[in-house]
Amino acid sequence: RKEVEQDPGPFNVPEGATVAFNCTYSNSASQSFFWYRQDCRKEPKLLMSVYSSGNEDGRFTAQLNRASQYISLLIRDSKLSDSATYLCVVTSYNQGGKLIFGQGTELSVKP
Amino acid sequence: EADIYQTPRYLVIGTGKKITLECSQTMGHDKMYWYQQDPGMELHLIHYSYGVNSTEKGDLSSESTVSRIRTEHFPLTLESARPSHTSQYLCASSEESEQYFGPGTRLTVT
């Protein structure tokens, strides 16, 4: 079983749709959580950190459920420019703080 | 915008050649990383360093080697390139948890 698992994609949605990505992690000692975005043939870039209380950045909302070891990302009013692969990322003290990446979920927003 | 650079951006080279992929950052980060990623596939950590003279192998076995003689510089070397080394190589650095990635080197070994 992979340490970080994401919804298999791709997600094909029309502009304006709301889309949710799910992610589970297996290491209960994980302490930091992130969503990264990777455009085709580009490097990953941090989209947002995920806090226990949940956090929002414009159209993006991230949630963390430590008890269920589950992270989510909600994108409202999706735009064509949201098309990318979204990577769920976790770090753990007992792994030296290394980032553990999920396999990514591809999103394609169509006009 | 993160200040982390990789050269070359693209490299096509013949089997058996020795190659060095350069990575440098100007942020003074102690932690640096090398990832390998095939098209449409997930990132795999192949090397990391937590400071000068510190290097460790990552989760994916790699025939490459790295060195960290200066904080800002973390080159990756392949002594004898093979077609199986064809991939994208991404360098990253961090101070705390957030990692900043370079633009990557797309390597093709013919």
Side-chain angles (χ1 to χ4, degrees):
Chain A
R1 183 188 170 194
K2 292 187 178 183
E3 284 195 63
V4 178
E5 296 206 56
Q6 297 185 234
D7 283 337
F11 282 39
N12 297 302
V13 303
E15 264 188 297
T18 295
V19 60
F21 300 134
N22 298 316
C23 171
T24 57
Y25 59 95
S26 61
N27 187 346
S28 59
S30 300
Q31 84 270 17
S32 298
F33 309 90
F34 308 91
W35 284 102
Y36 275 68
R37 169 191 169 133
Q38 186 173 24
D39 292 295
C40 187
R41 302 173 81 84
K42 299 278 193 178
E43 72 274 22
K45 292 189 177 180
L46 180 67
L47 178 66
M48 59 197 302
S49 301
V50 187
Y51 303 118
S52 295
S53 54
N55 48 302
E56 189 173 306
D57 182 3
R59 297 181 293 108
F60 299 83
T61 301
Q63 299 266 344
L64 167 65
N65 184 323
R66 284 188 185 271
S68 302
Q69 296 180 199
Y70 168 92
I71 306 157
S72 66
L73 177 68
L74 185 76
I75 305 175
R76 291 183 299 278
D77 188 23
S78 53
K79 313 289 185 192
L80 297 177
S81 57
D82 293 334
S83 297
T85 296
Y86 290 83
L87 303 167
C88 176
V89 185
V90 171
T91 68
S92 305
Y93 281 125
N94 62 2
Q95 292 182 328
K98 291 184 292 181
L99 294 190
I100 310 298
F101 285 82
Q103 77 272 31
T105 302
E106 185 184 343
L107 172 66
S108 179
V109 182
K110 306 289 188 187
Chain B
E1 202 69 23
D3 295 322
I4 179 163
Y5 310 99
Q6 290 186 244
T7 56
R9 292 291 309 278
Y10 302 92
L11 178 61
V12 180
I13 201 161
T15 297
K17 301 290 187 184
K18 177 180 178 178
I19 58 172
T20 297
L21 308 185
E22 301 288 350
C23 175
S24 59
Q25 49 96 5
T26 58
M27 297 171 282
H29 289 167
D30 284 328
K31 299 176 186 175
M32 295 189 74
Y33 311 83
W34 275 103
Y35 294 87
Q36 185 175 340
Q37 185 179 35
D38 293 323
M41 304 297 284
E42 61 200 278
L43 285 150
H44 291 286
L45 180 67
I46 52 175
H47 297 284
Y48 61 100
S49 167
Y50 286 163
V52 171
N53 294 326
S54 151
T55 62
E56 301 285 346
K57 289 196 176 293
D59 305 318
L60 180 69
S61 175
S62 174
E63 293 166 350
S64 59
T65 58
V66 292
S67 62
R68 190 87 184 277
I69 298 170
R70 302 197 319 262
T71 298
E72 62 271 22
H73 196 214
F74 191 39
L76 181 146
T77 299
L78 276 164
E79 290 293 332
S80 178
R82 294 208 303 269
S84 60
H85 297 139
T86 294
S87 189
Q88 171 154 312
Y89 293 83
L90 288 155
C91 179
S93 73
S94 70
E95 186 173 303
E96 296 296 333
S97 294
E98 179 183 351
Q99 287 189 8
Y100 299 90
F101 283 82
T105 294
R106 196 167 295 277
L107 172 66
T108 302
V109 183
T110 60

Short mmCIF file of all heavy atoms in Angstrom, two decimals, chain A residues 38-67:
data_model
loop_
_atom_site.label_atom_id
_atom_site.label_comp_id
_atom_site.label_asym_id
_atom_site.label_seq_id
_atom_site.Cartn_x
_atom_site.Cartn_y
_atom_site.Cartn_z
N GLN A 38 0.90 20.64 -10.48
CA GLN A 38 1.92 20.45 -11.51
C GLN A 38 1.28 20.54 -12.88
O GLN A 38 0.42 19.73 -13.23
CB GLN A 38 2.63 19.10 -11.33
CG GLN A 38 3.81 18.92 -12.29
CD GLN A 38 4.61 17.67 -12.03
OE1 GLN A 38 4.12 16.70 -11.46
NE2 GLN A 38 5.89 17.68 -12.44
N ASP A 39 1.69 21.54 -13.64
CA ASP A 39 1.24 21.66 -15.02
C ASP A 39 2.03 20.69 -15.89
O ASP A 39 3.15 20.27 -15.53
CB ASP A 39 1.41 23.10 -15.51
CG ASP A 39 0.46 24.02 -14.80
OD1 ASP A 39 -0.76 23.87 -14.99
OD2 ASP A 39 0.92 24.89 -14.02
N CYS A 40 1.47 20.39 -17.06
CA CYS A 40 2.07 19.40 -17.94
C CYS A 40 3.52 19.77 -18.27
O CYS A 40 3.79 20.89 -18.72
CB CYS A 40 1.24 19.28 -19.21
SG CYS A 40 1.76 17.95 -20.29
N ARG A 41 4.45 18.87 -18.01
CA ARG A 41 5.86 19.02 -18.32
C ARG A 41 6.51 20.19 -17.58
O ARG A 41 7.51 20.75 -18.01
CB ARG A 41 6.05 19.18 -19.83
CG ARG A 41 5.49 18.00 -20.62
CD ARG A 41 5.54 18.27 -22.11
NE ARG A 41 6.87 18.00 -22.65
CZ ARG A 41 7.31 16.81 -23.02
NH1 ARG A 41 6.54 15.76 -22.88
NH2 ARG A 41 8.52 16.66 -23.51
N LYS A 42 5.93 20.56 -16.42
CA LYS A 42 6.51 21.62 -15.60
C LYS A 42 6.81 21.06 -14.21
O LYS A 42 6.46 19.93 -13.88
CB LYS A 42 5.52 22.79 -15.46
CG LYS A 42 5.15 23.43 -16.76
CD LYS A 42 6.19 24.42 -17.20
CE LYS A 42 5.66 25.29 -18.31
NZ LYS A 42 6.66 26.30 -18.72
N GLU A 43 7.46 21.90 -13.39
CA GLU A 43 7.77 21.47 -12.04
C GLU A 43 6.56 21.67 -11.12
O GLU A 43 5.73 22.55 -11.36
CB GLU A 43 8.97 22.25 -11.49
CG GLU A 43 8.71 23.70 -11.15
CD GLU A 43 8.87 24.63 -12.32
OE1 GLU A 43 8.77 24.19 -13.49
OE2 GLU A 43 9.08 25.83 -12.07
N PRO A 44 6.46 20.89 -10.03
CA PRO A 44 5.39 21.10 -9.06
C PRO A 44 5.56 22.45 -8.35
O PRO A 44 6.68 22.88 -8.08
CB PRO A 44 5.56 19.96 -8.07
CG PRO A 44 6.44 18.97 -8.75
CD PRO A 44 7.31 19.75 -9.67
N LYS A 45 4.43 23.06 -8.04
CA LYS A 45 4.45 24.32 -7.26
C LYS A 45 3.45 24.21 -6.14
O LYS A 45 2.36 23.64 -6.33
CB LYS A 45 4.14 25.52 -8.17
CG LYS A 45 5.23 25.78 -9.19
CD LYS A 45 5.01 27.08 -9.91
CE LYS A 45 6.17 27.33 -10.87
NZ LYS A 45 6.04 28.59 -11.61
N LEU A 46 3.80 24.77 -5.00
CA LEU A 46 2.91 24.71 -3.85
C LEU A 46 1.62 25.47 -4.15
O LEU A 46 1.63 26.64 -4.54
CB LEU A 46 3.58 25.32 -2.63
CG LEU A 46 2.73 25.33 -1.35
CD1 LEU A 46 2.51 23.90 -0.86
CD2 LEU A 46 3.40 26.16 -0.27
N LEU A 47 0.49 24.79 -3.97
CA LEU A 47 -0.82 25.43 -4.11
C LEU A 47 -1.26 25.97 -2.76
O LEU A 47 -1.61 27.14 -2.63
CB LEU A 47 -1.83 24.41 -4.64
CG LEU A 47 -3.26 24.88 -4.81
CD1 LEU A 47 -3.35 25.95 -5.89
CD2 LEU A 47 -4.18 23.71 -5.15
N MET A 48 -1.27 25.10 -1.76
CA MET A 48 -1.62 25.55 -0.42
C MET A 48 -1.24 24.50 0.61
O MET A 48 -1.18 23.31 0.32
CB MET A 48 -3.11 25.88 -0.32
CG MET A 48 -4.06 24.76 -0.65
SD MET A 48 -5.76 25.33 -0.97
CE MET A 48 -6.18 26.18 0.54
N SER A 49 -0.96 25.00 1.81
CA SER A 49 -0.77 24.11 2.94
C SER A 49 -2.14 23.72 3.47
O SER A 49 -3.13 24.40 3.18
CB SER A 49 0.02 24.81 4.05
OG SER A 49 1.27 25.22 3.56
N VAL A 50 -2.20 22.64 4.22
CA VAL A 50 -3.47 22.17 4.77
C VAL A 50 -3.36 22.18 6.29
O VAL A 50 -2.47 21.53 6.85
CB VAL A 50 -3.81 20.75 4.29
CG1 VAL A 50 -5.21 20.36 4.75
CG2 VAL A 50 -3.70 20.64 2.77
N TYR A 51 -4.26 22.89 6.94
CA TYR A 51 -4.22 23.02 8.39
C TYR A 51 -5.38 22.24 9.00
O TYR A 51 -6.41 22.01 8.37
CB TYR A 51 -4.29 24.49 8.80
CG TYR A 51 -3.19 25.31 8.19
CD1 TYR A 51 -3.48 26.36 7.31
CD2 TYR A 51 -1.85 25.04 8.45
CE1 TYR A 51 -2.47 27.11 6.73
CE2 TYR A 51 -0.84 25.77 7.87
CZ TYR A 51 -1.15 26.81 7.02
OH TYR A 51 -0.15 27.55 6.45
N SER A 52 -5.21 21.88 10.27
CA SER A 52 -6.20 21.04 10.94
C SER A 52 -7.58 21.69 10.95
O SER A 52 -8.60 21.00 10.88
CB SER A 52 -5.77 20.76 12.38
OG SER A 52 -4.60 19.99 12.39
N SER A 53 -7.59 23.01 11.02
CA SER A 53 -8.87 23.72 11.10
C SER A 53 -9.49 23.93 9.72
O SER A 53 -10.57 24.48 9.60
CB SER A 53 -8.64 25.08 11.76
OG SER A 53 -7.63 25.78 11.08
N GLY A 54 -8.79 23.49 8.69
CA GLY A 54 -9.26 23.74 7.33
C GLY A 54 -8.87 25.14 6.90
O GLY A 54 -8.77 26.04 7.73
N ASN A 55 -8.62 25.34 5.65
CA ASN A 55 -8.26 26.67 5.18
C ASN A 55 -8.71 26.89 3.75
O ASN A 55 -8.90 25.94 2.99
CB ASN A 55 -6.75 26.92 5.33
CG ASN A 55 -5.88 25.82 4.80
OD1 ASN A 55 -5.98 24.67 5.24
ND2 ASN A 55 -5.02 26.15 3.85
N GLU A 56 -8.90 28.17 3.45
CA GLU A 56 -9.47 28.55 2.17
C GLU A 56 -8.58 29.61 1.54
O GLU A 56 -8.01 30.47 2.21
CB GLU A 56 -10.87 29.12 2.42
CG GLU A 56 -11.69 29.36 1.19
CD GLU A 56 -13.12 29.78 1.55
OE1 GLU A 56 -13.77 29.05 2.32
OE2 GLU A 56 -13.54 30.85 1.10
N ASP A 57 -8.44 29.51 0.22
CA ASP A 57 -7.68 30.51 -0.52
C ASP A 57 -8.44 30.77 -1.81
O ASP A 57 -8.31 30.03 -2.78
CB ASP A 57 -6.26 30.01 -0.81
CG ASP A 57 -5.42 31.05 -1.54
OD1 ASP A 57 -5.91 32.17 -1.77
OD2 ASP A 57 -4.27 30.74 -1.87
N GLY A 58 -9.28 31.78 -1.79
CA GLY A 58 -10.09 32.08 -2.97
C GLY A 58 -11.05 30.94 -3.27
O GLY A 58 -11.87 30.57 -2.43
N ARG A 59 -10.93 30.36 -4.44
CA ARG A 59 -11.84 29.29 -4.86
C ARG A 59 -11.41 27.91 -4.32
O ARG A 59 -12.10 26.92 -4.57
CB ARG A 59 -11.88 29.24 -6.39
CG ARG A 59 -12.44 30.49 -7.04
CD ARG A 59 -12.48 30.39 -8.57
NE ARG A 59 -11.15 30.33 -9.17
CZ ARG A 59 -10.61 29.24 -9.70
NH1 ARG A 59 -11.28 28.10 -9.71
NH2 ARG A 59 -9.41 29.28 -10.23
N PHE A 60 -10.30 27.86 -3.63
CA PHE A 60 -9.74 26.59 -3.17
C PHE A 60 -9.94 26.44 -1.65
O PHE A 60 -9.63 27.35 -0.89
CB PHE A 60 -8.24 26.53 -3.50
CG PHE A 60 -7.95 26.60 -4.97
CD1 PHE A 60 -7.88 27.82 -5.63
CD2 PHE A 60 -7.76 25.45 -5.70
CE1 PHE A 60 -7.62 27.89 -6.99
CE2 PHE A 60 -7.49 25.50 -7.07
CZ PHE A 60 -7.43 26.72 -7.71
N THR A 61 -10.42 25.26 -1.25
CA THR A 61 -10.59 24.96 0.17
C THR A 61 -9.93 23.61 0.45
O THR A 61 -10.21 22.63 -0.23
CB THR A 61 -12.08 24.88 0.54
OG1 THR A 61 -12.71 26.13 0.26
CG2 THR A 61 -12.24 24.56 2.02
N ALA A 62 -9.08 23.59 1.47
CA ALA A 62 -8.41 22.35 1.87
C ALA A 62 -8.90 21.94 3.25
O ALA A 62 -9.12 22.79 4.11
CB ALA A 62 -6.90 22.55 1.88
N GLN A 63 -9.09 20.64 3.44
CA GLN A 63 -9.54 20.12 4.71
C GLN A 63 -8.64 18.96 5.13
O GLN A 63 -8.14 18.22 4.28
CB GLN A 63 -10.98 19.58 4.58
CG GLN A 63 -12.01 20.61 4.17
CD GLN A 63 -12.69 21.23 5.36
OE1 GLN A 63 -12.61 20.71 6.46
NE2 GLN A 63 -13.37 22.35 5.15
N LEU A 64 -8.48 18.82 6.45
CA LEU A 64 -7.68 17.73 7.00
C LEU A 64 -8.48 17.03 8.08
O LEU A 64 -9.04 17.69 8.95
CB LEU A 64 -6.38 18.29 7.60
CG LEU A 64 -5.56 17.36 8.48
CD1 LEU A 64 -5.03 16.17 7.68
CD2 LEU A 64 -4.41 18.12 9.14
N ASN A 65 -8.53 15.72 8.04
CA ASN A 65 -9.16 14.92 9.08
C ASN A 65 -8.10 13.96 9.60
O ASN A 65 -7.84 12.92 8.99
CB ASN A 65 -10.37 14.16 8.51
CG ASN A 65 -11.11 13.40 9.58
OD1 ASN A 65 -10.53 12.85 10.51
ND2 ASN A 65 -12.42 13.35 9.45
N ARG A 66 -7.49 14.33 10.73
CA ARG A 66 -6.39 13.52 11.27
C ARG A 66 -6.88 12.15 11.73
O ARG A 66 -6.18 11.15 11.61
CB ARG A 66 -5.70 14.24 12.42
CG ARG A 66 -4.79 15.36 11.99
CD ARG A 66 -4.01 15.90 13.18
NE ARG A 66 -3.21 17.05 12.83
CZ ARG A 66 -1.96 16.98 12.38
NH1 ARG A 66 -1.37 15.80 12.22
NH2 ARG A 66 -1.29 18.08 12.08
N ALA A 67 -8.08 12.10 12.28
CA ALA A 67 -8.59 10.82 12.81
C ALA A 67 -8.75 9.81 11.68
O ALA A 67 -8.43 8.63 11.84
CB ALA A 67 -9.92 11.05 13.51
#
